Amino acid sequence: MTDVLIDTDLAGAMAETAAAVDETLGRELPEPDGPAAQLYEAMRYGALGGGKRLRGFLVRTGARLAGADDGGALRVAAAIEMVHAYSLVHDDLPAMDDDDMRRGKPSCHVAFDEATAILAGDALLTRAFEVLADEETHPSPAIRIELVRALAEAAGGLGMVGGQMIDLSAQHEAVDFELIAVLERMKTGALIAFGCEAGAVLGDAPAALRAMLRAYGYDVGLAFQIVDDLLDVTGEEAVLGKKVGKDAAAGKATFVAALGVEGARREARSLVDRAVARLDGFGPDADALRGFGDYVLQRRS
Ligand code: GRG
């Protein structure tokens, strides 16, 4: 799954988590059956069969650091990947980014139709909250409510969806560095930050550990988005599984547009350095998060 030079332990852990998250997703998504079978098929198409499961990996890693149960962490990992899959399905629609390819295969609305893709996204989003609210995720109702609240905040108008709105409105506007940082933190950083702090919620960890994981996630999440912008300029379609060169063609406000390729690379490096410095004081248990920072900078897909 990983195509860059990272520590073999980290590569193995990421591959193992991707398989475990896929298995949990397969179990938690409805099987295509009955009169709404096409919807369930489209949900599975959008969520399964591809995806690096990075957000799921962060949930599981944070949960280990906080001493939380791995079974619950895998359910939260599946929930965050459902929300992420919904965002991709909707983002690919003609009214948004209008992308025909995703994860190396036709986008959901191409494989099915637009109405089915909209409904599949809606149902993935709502299923994610159903999974979090189930007592199998954690026996404490207070912890389940906090997971639901925090994911809703990260995914909603003050997070991912709000970031997408600014992104669409800022097209063809003069490049404003501060606005780009705000929109990219909302669009991509907020969900990744939730992924990092969710383990602390599950483990009922001290507030300081939760705050540290969240801050790490925000910085790594922004670096992740900057690298995504860079890959749109420097990446290969076959490796990425989607078209490149779309941001510039659409006049998108990105870090590359604001800072140039080298400036954007430096910004991503400095964000990862800051994120990893936050882990000082944590022992080898935090090594996966340290290595993940390098992975974000080196990734090619
Ligand atoms: C709510 C419609 C809607 C959109 C929200 C997140 C988002 C905004 C749109 C998705 C498209 C996009 C390019 C988002 C930026 C985040 C990002 C880099 C997504 C790709 O994440 P990966 O690389 O994807 O983790 P895989 O396929 O590995 O899961």
Side-chain angles (χ1 to χ4, degrees):
M1 182 208 47
T2 50
D3 58 353
V4 290
L5 282 176
I6 55 168
D7 183 86
T8 45
D9 287 351
L10 179 64
M14 287 171 78
E16 194 268 324
T17 287
V21 170
D22 279 352
E23 196 191 313
T24 312
L25 277 170
R27 213 174 37 243
E28 295 303 326
L29 288 171
E31 291 290 345
D33 196 15
Q38 178 166 310
L39 172 68
Y40 310 144
E41 208 184 314
M43 288 168 76
R44 298 181 79 86
Y45 184 88
L48 297 168
K52 299 180 288 295
R53 311 305 184 206
L54 302 180
R55 292 154 191 78
F57 178 74
L58 290 169
V59 172
R60 224 175 164 204
T61 306
R64 269 198 201 120
L65 210 57
D69 169 65
D70 190 48
L74 273 174
R75 291 177 61 83
V76 178
I80 194 173
E81 290 291 344
M82 285 180 204
V83 172
H84 171 56
Y86 126 76
S87 80
L88 300 179
V89 168
H90 279 193
D91 189 65
D92 289 340
L93 286 164
M96 300 244 187
D97 248 17
D98 195 9
D99 264 309
D100 288 351
M101 292 292 285
R102 171 67 64 184
R103 295 174 168 170
K105 57 185 192 185
S107 303
C108 192
H109 67 277
V110 175
F112 295 83
D113 54 59
E114 279 183 45
T116 306
I118 292 169
L119 294 174
D122 293 342
L124 282 166
L125 175 64
T126 41
R127 177 68 188 138
F129 289 101
E130 202 180 352
V131 168
L132 290 186
D134 192 294
E135 64 181 13
E136 238 190 275
T137 299
H138 197 283
S140 156
I143 283 181
R144 300 200 301 273
I145 286 172
E146 179 51 16
L147 288 168
V148 166
R149 191 207 61 75
L151 180 58
E153 184 182 288
L158 297 175
M160 185 175 74
V161 175
Q164 177 80 344
M165 184 74 247
I166 302 173
D167 194 5
L168 294 173
S169 325
Q171 281 180 29
H172 307 295
E173 296 281 314
V175 176
D176 172 344
F177 182 80
E178 290 305 317
L179 186 69
I180 296 171
V182 168
L183 93 82
E184 296 208 339
R185 272 187 194 276
M186 287 169 76
K187 188 177 87 163
T188 310
L191 194 61
I192 291 181
F194 167 78
C196 292
E197 72 175 328
V201 178
L202 271 173
D204 204 11
L209 175 58
R210 180 171 174 182
M212 184 282 286
L213 284 168
R214 184 177 167 85
Y216 165 93
Y218 257 108
D219 283 343
V220 159
L222 184 55
F224 183 83
Q225 178 59 55
I226 294 174
V227 172
D228 204 66
D229 296 344
L230 281 162
L231 287 172
D232 189 64
V233 176
T234 62
E236 298 160 56
E237 247 164 58
V239 181
L240 283 167
K242 62 176 185 180
K243 286 206 184 93
V244 295
K246 290 207 66 190
D247 291 346
K252 282 225 169 174
T254 70
F255 270 85
V256 181
L259 302 177
V261 167
E262 282 315 313
R265 276 203 186 111
R266 272 196 302 276
E267 186 66 23
R269 171 86 261 170
S270 118
L271 283 160
V272 166
D273 287 347
R274 191 167 75 182
V276 169
R278 294 184 196 280
L279 303 167
D280 288 353
F282 290 86
D285 280 357
D287 280 352
L289 294 179
R290 293 186 181 98
F292 187 81
D294 283 333
Y295 165 78
V296 163
L297 295 174
Q298 293 176 36
R299 74 190 181 95
R300 291 173 49 230
S301 71

Coordinates of all heavy atoms in Angstrom, one line a residue, residues 52-119:
K52 N -6.3 4.6 1.3 CA -5.2 4.2 2.1 C -5.5 4.0 3.6 O -4.7 3.5 4.3 CB -4.1 5.4 2.0 CG -3.7 5.5 0.5 CD -2.6 6.6 0.4 CE -3.1 8.0 0.5 NZ -4.1 8.5 -0.6
R53 N -6.7 4.5 4.0 CA -7.2 4.3 5.4 C -6.3 5.0 6.4 O -6.1 4.6 7.5 CB -7.3 2.8 5.8 CG -8.1 2.0 4.8 CD -9.4 2.5 4.5 NE -10.2 1.6 3.6 CZ -11.1 2.0 2.8 NH1 -11.5 3.3 2.8 NH2 -11.8 1.2 2.1
L54 N -5.8 6.2 5.9 CA -4.9 7.0 6.8 C -5.6 7.5 8.0 O -5.0 7.5 9.1 CB -4.2 8.1 6.0 CG -3.5 7.8 4.7 CD1 -2.9 9.0 4.1 CD2 -2.3 6.8 5.1
R55 N -6.8 7.9 7.8 CA -7.6 8.5 9.0 C -7.8 7.4 10.0 O -7.8 7.6 11.2 CB -8.9 9.2 8.5 CG -8.5 10.4 7.6 CD -9.6 10.8 6.6 NE -9.2 11.8 5.7 CZ -8.4 11.6 4.6 NH1 -7.9 10.4 4.4 NH2 -8.0 12.6 3.9
G56 N -8.2 6.2 9.5 CA -8.4 5.0 10.4 C -7.1 4.7 11.1 O -7.1 4.3 12.3
F57 N -6.0 4.8 10.4 CA -4.7 4.5 11.0 C -4.4 5.5 12.2 O -3.9 5.1 13.3 CB -3.5 4.6 10.0 CG -2.2 4.4 10.6 CD1 -1.8 3.1 10.9 CD2 -1.3 5.4 10.8 CE1 -0.5 2.9 11.5 CE2 0.0 5.2 11.3 CZ 0.4 3.9 11.7
L58 N -4.7 6.7 12.0 CA -4.5 7.7 13.0 C -5.4 7.5 14.2 O -5.0 7.6 15.4 CB -4.7 9.2 12.5 CG -3.7 9.6 11.5 CD1 -4.1 10.9 10.8 CD2 -2.3 9.8 12.2
V59 N -6.6 7.1 14.0 CA -7.6 6.7 15.1 C -6.9 5.6 15.9 O -6.8 5.7 17.2 CB -8.9 6.3 14.6 CG1 -9.8 5.7 15.7 CG2 -9.7 7.4 13.9
R60 N -6.5 4.6 15.3 CA -6.0 3.4 16.0 C -4.7 3.7 16.7 O -4.5 3.3 17.8 CB -5.7 2.3 14.9 CG -6.2 1.0 15.4 CD -6.1 0.0 14.3 NE -6.2 -1.4 14.8 CZ -5.6 -2.4 14.2 NH1 -4.9 -2.2 13.1 NH2 -5.8 -3.6 14.7
T61 N -3.9 4.5 16.1 CA -2.6 4.9 16.7 C -2.8 5.8 18.0 O -2.2 5.5 19.0 CB -1.7 5.6 15.7 OG1 -1.6 4.8 14.6 CG2 -0.3 5.9 16.3
G62 N -3.7 6.7 17.8 CA -4.1 7.6 19.0 C -4.7 6.7 20.1 O -4.4 7.0 21.3
A63 N -5.5 5.8 19.7 CA -6.2 4.9 20.7 C -5.1 4.1 21.5 O -5.2 3.9 22.7 CB -7.2 4.0 20.0
R64 N -4.1 3.6 20.8 CA -3.1 2.9 21.5 C -2.3 3.7 22.5 O -2.1 3.3 23.6 CB -2.0 2.3 20.4 CG -2.4 1.0 20.0 CD -1.4 0.2 19.3 NE -2.1 -0.8 18.5 CZ -2.0 -1.0 17.2 NH1 -1.2 -0.3 16.5 NH2 -2.7 -1.9 16.6
L65 N -2.0 5.0 22.0 CA -1.3 5.9 22.9 C -2.2 6.2 24.2 O -1.6 6.4 25.3 CB -1.1 7.2 22.1 CG 0.1 8.0 22.5 CD1 1.4 7.2 22.3 CD2 0.2 9.2 21.5
A66 N -3.5 6.2 24.0 CA -4.4 6.5 25.2 C -4.8 5.3 25.9 O -5.6 5.4 26.8 CB -5.6 7.3 24.6
G67 N -4.3 4.1 25.5 CA -4.7 2.9 26.2 C -6.1 2.4 26.0 O -6.7 1.7 26.8
A68 N -6.7 2.8 24.8 CA -8.1 2.5 24.5 C -8.2 1.1 23.9 O -7.3 0.6 23.3 CB -8.8 3.5 23.6
D69 N -9.4 0.5 24.0 CA -9.7 -0.8 23.4 C -9.6 -0.7 21.9 O -10.2 0.2 21.2 CB -11.1 -1.2 23.9 CG -11.6 -2.4 23.1 OD1 -11.0 -3.5 23.3 OD2 -12.6 -2.3 22.4
D70 N -8.9 -1.7 21.3 CA -8.7 -1.7 19.8 C -10.0 -2.0 19.0 O -10.2 -1.5 17.9 CB -7.7 -2.7 19.4 CG -7.2 -2.6 18.0 OD1 -6.9 -1.4 17.6 OD2 -7.2 -3.6 17.3
G71 N -10.9 -2.8 19.6 CA -12.2 -3.1 18.9 C -13.0 -1.8 18.7 O -13.5 -1.5 17.6
G72 N -13.1 -1.0 19.7 CA -13.8 0.3 19.6 C -13.1 1.2 18.6 O -13.7 1.9 17.8
A73 N -11.7 1.2 18.7 CA -11.0 2.1 17.8 C -11.2 1.7 16.3 O -11.3 2.6 15.5 CB -9.5 2.0 18.1
L74 N -11.4 0.4 16.1 CA -11.6 0.0 14.7 C -13.0 0.5 14.2 O -13.2 0.8 13.0 CB -11.5 -1.5 14.5 CG -10.1 -2.0 14.3 CD1 -10.0 -3.5 14.3 CD2 -9.6 -1.5 12.9
R75 N -14.0 0.5 15.1 CA -15.3 1.0 14.7 C -15.2 2.5 14.4 O -15.9 3.0 13.5 CB -16.3 0.7 15.8 CG -16.6 -0.8 15.9 CD -17.6 -1.1 17.1 NE -18.9 -0.4 16.9 CZ -19.9 -0.9 16.1 NH1 -19.7 -2.1 15.5 NH2 -21.0 -0.3 16.0
V76 N -14.5 3.2 15.3 CA -14.3 4.7 15.0 C -13.6 4.9 13.7 O -13.9 5.8 12.9 CB -13.6 5.4 16.2 CG1 -13.5 6.9 15.9 CG2 -14.4 5.2 17.5
A77 N -12.6 4.0 13.5 CA -11.8 4.1 12.2 C -12.7 3.9 11.0 O -12.6 4.6 10.0 CB -10.7 3.1 12.2
A78 N -13.6 2.9 11.1 CA -14.6 2.7 10.0 C -15.5 3.9 9.9 O -15.8 4.3 8.7 CB -15.4 1.4 10.3
A79 N -15.9 4.5 11.0 CA -16.8 5.6 10.9 C -16.2 6.8 10.2 O -16.8 7.5 9.3 CB -17.3 6.0 12.3
I80 N -14.9 7.1 10.6 CA -14.3 8.3 10.0 C -14.0 8.0 8.5 O -14.1 8.9 7.6 CB -13.0 8.6 10.7 CG1 -12.5 10.0 10.3 CG2 -11.9 7.7 10.5 CD1 -11.3 10.5 11.1
E81 N -13.7 6.8 8.1 CA -13.5 6.4 6.7 C -14.8 6.5 5.9 O -14.8 6.8 4.7 CB -12.9 5.0 6.6 CG -11.4 5.0 7.0 CD -10.4 5.8 6.1 OE1 -10.8 6.1 5.0 OE2 -9.3 6.0 6.6
M82 N -16.0 6.2 6.6 CA -17.3 6.4 5.9 C -17.5 7.9 5.6 O -17.9 8.3 4.5 CB -18.4 5.9 6.8 CG -18.5 4.4 6.8 SD -19.9 3.9 7.9 CE -19.4 2.3 8.4
V83 N -17.2 8.8 6.6 CA -17.3 10.2 6.3 C -16.4 10.7 5.2 O -16.8 11.4 4.3 CB -17.1 11.0 7.7 CG1 -17.1 12.5 7.4 CG2 -18.2 10.7 8.7
H84 N -15.2 10.2 5.3 CA -14.2 10.6 4.2 C -14.7 10.1 2.9 O -14.7 10.8 1.9 CB -12.9 9.9 4.6 CG -11.8 10.0 3.6 ND1 -11.4 11.2 3.0 CD2 -11.1 9.1 3.0 CE1 -10.4 11.0 2.1 NE2 -10.2 9.7 2.1
A85 N -15.2 8.9 2.8 CA -15.7 8.3 1.5 C -16.9 9.1 1.0 O -16.9 9.4 -0.2 CB -16.1 6.8 1.7
Y86 N -17.8 9.5 1.9 CA -18.9 10.4 1.5 C -18.4 11.7 0.9 O -18.9 12.1 -0.2 CB -19.8 10.6 2.7 CG -20.1 12.1 3.0 CD1 -21.0 12.9 2.2 CD2 -19.5 12.7 4.0 CE1 -21.2 14.2 2.5 CE2 -19.7 14.1 4.3 CZ -20.6 14.8 3.5 OH -20.8 16.1 3.8
S87 N -17.3 12.3 1.5 CA -16.8 13.6 1.0 C -16.2 13.4 -0.4 O -16.4 14.3 -1.3 CB -15.8 14.2 2.0 OG -14.5 13.6 1.8
L88 N -15.6 12.3 -0.6 CA -15.0 12.0 -2.0 C -16.1 11.8 -3.0 O -16.0 12.3 -4.1 CB -14.1 10.8 -1.9 CG -12.9 10.9 -1.0 CD1 -12.0 9.6 -1.0 CD2 -12.0 12.1 -1.3
V89 N -17.1 11.0 -2.6 CA -18.2 10.7 -3.6 C -18.9 12.0 -4.0 O -19.2 12.3 -5.2 CB -19.2 9.7 -2.9 CG1 -20.5 9.7 -3.7 CG2 -18.6 8.3 -2.8
H90 N -19.2 12.9 -3.0 CA -19.8 14.2 -3.3 C -18.9 15.1 -4.0 O -19.3 15.9 -4.9 CB -20.4 14.8 -2.0 CG -21.7 14.2 -1.6 ND1 -22.5 14.8 -0.6 CD2 -22.4 13.1 -2.0 CE1 -23.6 14.0 -0.5 NE2 -23.5 13.0 -1.3
D91 N -17.6 15.1 -3.6 CA -16.7 16.1 -4.2 C -16.5 15.7 -5.7 O -16.2 16.7 -6.5 CB -15.3 15.9 -3.5 CG -14.3 17.0 -3.9 OD1 -14.6 18.2 -3.7 OD2 -13.3 16.7 -4.6
D92 N -16.6 14.5 -6.1 CA -16.4 14.1 -7.5 C -17.6 14.5 -8.4 O -17.5 14.4 -9.6 CB -16.2 12.6 -7.6 CG -14.8 12.2 -7.0 OD1 -13.9 13.1 -6.9 OD2 -14.6 11.0 -6.7
L93 N -18.7 14.8 -7.8 CA -19.9 15.1 -8.6 C -19.7 16.3 -9.5 O -18.9 17.2 -9.2 CB -21.1 15.5 -7.7 CG -21.7 14.3 -6.9 CD1 -22.6 14.7 -5.7 CD2 -22.5 13.4 -7.8
P94 N -20.4 16.3 -10.7 CA -20.3 17.4 -11.6 C -20.5 18.8 -11.0 O -19.8 19.8 -11.3 CB -21.4 17.2 -12.7 CG -21.5 15.7 -12.6 CD -21.3 15.3 -11.2
A95 N -21.4 18.9 -10.0 CA -21.6 20.2 -9.3 C -20.4 20.7 -8.5 O -20.3 21.8 -8.1 CB -22.9 20.2 -8.5
M96 N -19.5 19.7 -8.2 CA -18.4 20.1 -7.3 C -17.1 20.0 -8.2 O -16.9 20.8 -9.1 CB -18.3 19.2 -6.1 CG -19.5 19.3 -5.3 SD -19.2 19.9 -3.6 CE -20.8 19.7 -2.9
D97 N -16.2 19.0 -7.9 CA -15.0 19.0 -8.6 C -15.1 18.3 -10.0 O -14.1 18.3 -10.8 CB -13.9 18.3 -7.8 CG -12.8 19.2 -7.3 OD1 -13.1 20.4 -7.4 OD2 -11.8 18.8 -6.9
D98 N -16.2 17.6 -10.2 CA -16.4 17.0 -11.5 C -15.3 16.0 -11.9 O -14.6 16.3 -13.0 CB -16.7 18.0 -12.6 CG -17.3 17.5 -13.9 OD1 -17.7 16.3 -13.8 OD2 -17.4 18.2 -14.9
D99 N -15.0 15.0 -11.1 CA -14.0 14.1 -11.4 C -14.5 12.7 -11.8 O -15.4 12.2 -11.1 CB -13.1 13.8 -10.1 CG -11.9 14.7 -10.1 OD1 -11.2 14.7 -11.2 OD2 -11.7 15.4 -9.1
D100 N -14.0 12.2 -12.9 CA -14.5 10.9 -13.4 C -13.8 9.7 -12.8 O -14.3 8.6 -12.9 CB -14.3 10.8 -14.9 CG -15.2 11.7 -15.7 OD1 -16.2 12.2 -15.0 OD2 -15.1 11.9 -16.9
M101 N -12.6 9.9 -12.2 CA -11.8 8.8 -11.7 C -11.6 9.1 -10.2 O -11.3 10.2 -9.8 CB -10.5 8.7 -12.4 CG -10.6 8.2 -13.8 SD -11.2 6.5 -14.0 CE -9.7 5.6 -13.5
R102 N -11.6 8.0 -9.4 CA -11.3 8.1 -8.0 C -10.8 6.8 -7.6 O -11.4 5.7 -7.9 CB -12.6 8.5 -7.2 CG -12.5 8.4 -5.7 CD -11.6 9.4 -5.1 NE -12.0 10.8 -5.3 CZ -11.3 11.8 -4.9 NH1 -10.1 11.7 -4.3 NH2 -11.7 13.1 -5.1
R103 N -9.7 6.8 -6.9 CA -9.1 5.5 -6.4 C -8.8 4.5 -7.5 O -9.1 3.3 -7.4 CB -9.9 4.9 -5.3 CG -9.9 5.8 -4.0 CD -10.8 5.2 -2.9 NE -10.6 5.9 -1.6 CZ -11.5 5.8 -0.6 NH1 -12.5 5.0 -0.7 NH2 -11.2 6.4 0.5
G104 N -8.5 5.1 -8.7 CA -8.1 4.2 -9.8 C -9.3 3.6 -10.5 O -9.2 2.7 -11.3
K105 N -10.5 4.0 -10.2 CA -11.7 3.4 -10.9 C -12.7 4.6 -11.1 O -12.6 5.7 -10.6 CB -12.3 2.3 -10.0 CG -12.7 2.7 -8.6 CD -13.2 1.5 -7.8 CE -13.8 2.0 -6.5 NZ -14.2 1.0 -5.6
P106 N -13.7 4.3 -11.9 CA -14.7 5.4 -12.2 C -15.3 5.9 -10.9 O -15.6 5.1 -10.0 CB -15.8 4.7 -13.1 CG -15.0 3.5 -13.7 CD -14.0 3.1 -12.7
S107 N -15.5 7.2 -10.8 CA -16.2 7.8 -9.6 C -17.6 7.2 -9.5 O -18.1 6.7 -10.4 CB -16.3 9.3 -9.8 OG -15.0 9.8 -10.1
C108 N -18.1 7.3 -8.3 CA -19.4 6.7 -7.9 C -20.5 7.1 -8.9 O -21.3 6.3 -9.4 CB -19.7 7.0 -6.5 SG -21.0 6.1 -5.8
H109 N -20.6 8.4 -9.2 CA -21.7 8.9 -10.1 C -21.5 8.4 -11.5 O -22.5 8.4 -12.3 CB -21.8 10.4 -10.0 CG -20.7 11.2 -10.6 ND1 -19.5 11.4 -10.0 CD2 -20.5 11.7 -11.9 CE1 -18.7 12.1 -10.8 NE2 -19.2 12.2 -11.9
V110 N -20.2 8.0 -11.9 CA -20.0 7.5 -13.2 C -20.4 6.0 -13.2 O -21.1 5.5 -14.2 CB -18.5 7.7 -13.6 CG1 -18.3 7.0 -15.0 CG2 -18.2 9.2 -13.7
A111 N -20.0 5.3 -12.2 CA -20.4 3.9 -12.1 C -21.9 3.7 -11.9 O -22.4 2.7 -12.4 CB -19.6 3.2 -10.9
F112 N -22.5 4.6 -11.2 CA -24.0 4.5 -11.0 C -24.6 5.6 -11.7 O -24.6 5.7 -12.9 CB -24.3 4.5 -9.5 CG -23.7 3.2 -8.8 CD1 -22.4 3.2 -8.4 CD2 -24.5 2.1 -8.6 CE1 -21.8 2.1 -7.8 CE2 -23.9 1.0 -8.0 CZ -22.6 1.0 -7.6
D113 N -25.2 6.6 -11.0 CA -25.7 7.8 -11.6 C -25.6 8.9 -10.5 O -25.4 8.6 -9.4 CB -27.1 7.7 -12.2 CG -28.1 7.1 -11.1 OD1 -28.2 7.8 -10.1 OD2 -28.6 6.0 -11.3
E114 N -25.9 10.2 -10.9 CA -25.7 11.2 -9.9 C -26.6 11.1 -8.7 O -26.1 11.3 -7.6 CB -25.9 12.6 -10.6 CG -24.7 13.1 -11.4 CD -25.0 14.5 -12.0 OE1 -25.5 15.3 -11.3 OE2 -24.7 14.6 -13.2
A115 N -27.9 10.8 -9.0 CA -28.8 10.7 -7.8 C -28.3 9.6 -6.9 O -28.3 9.8 -5.6 CB -30.2 10.4 -8.3
T116 N -27.9 8.5 -7.4 CA -27.5 7.4 -6.5 C -26.2 7.8 -5.8 O -26.1 7.5 -4.6 CB -27.2 6.1 -7.4 OG1 -28.4 5.8 -8.2 CG2 -26.9 4.9 -6.5
A117 N -25.3 8.5 -6.4 CA -24.1 8.9 -5.7 C -24.4 9.9 -4.6 O -23.8 9.8 -3.5 CB -23.1 9.5 -6.7
I118 N -25.3 10.8 -4.8 CA -25.7 11.8 -3.8 C -26.3 11.0 -2.6 O -25.9 11.2 -1.4 CB -26.8 12.8 -4.3 CG1 -26.1 13.7 -5.3 CG2 -27.3 13.6 -3.1 CD1 -27.1 14.6 -6.1
L119 N -27.2 10.1 -2.9 CA -27.8 9.3 -1.8 C -26.8 8.4 -1.1 O -26.8 8.2 0.1 CB -29.0 8.4 -2.4 CG -30.2 9.2 -2.9 CD1 -31.2 8.3 -3.5 CD2 -30.8 10.0 -1.8

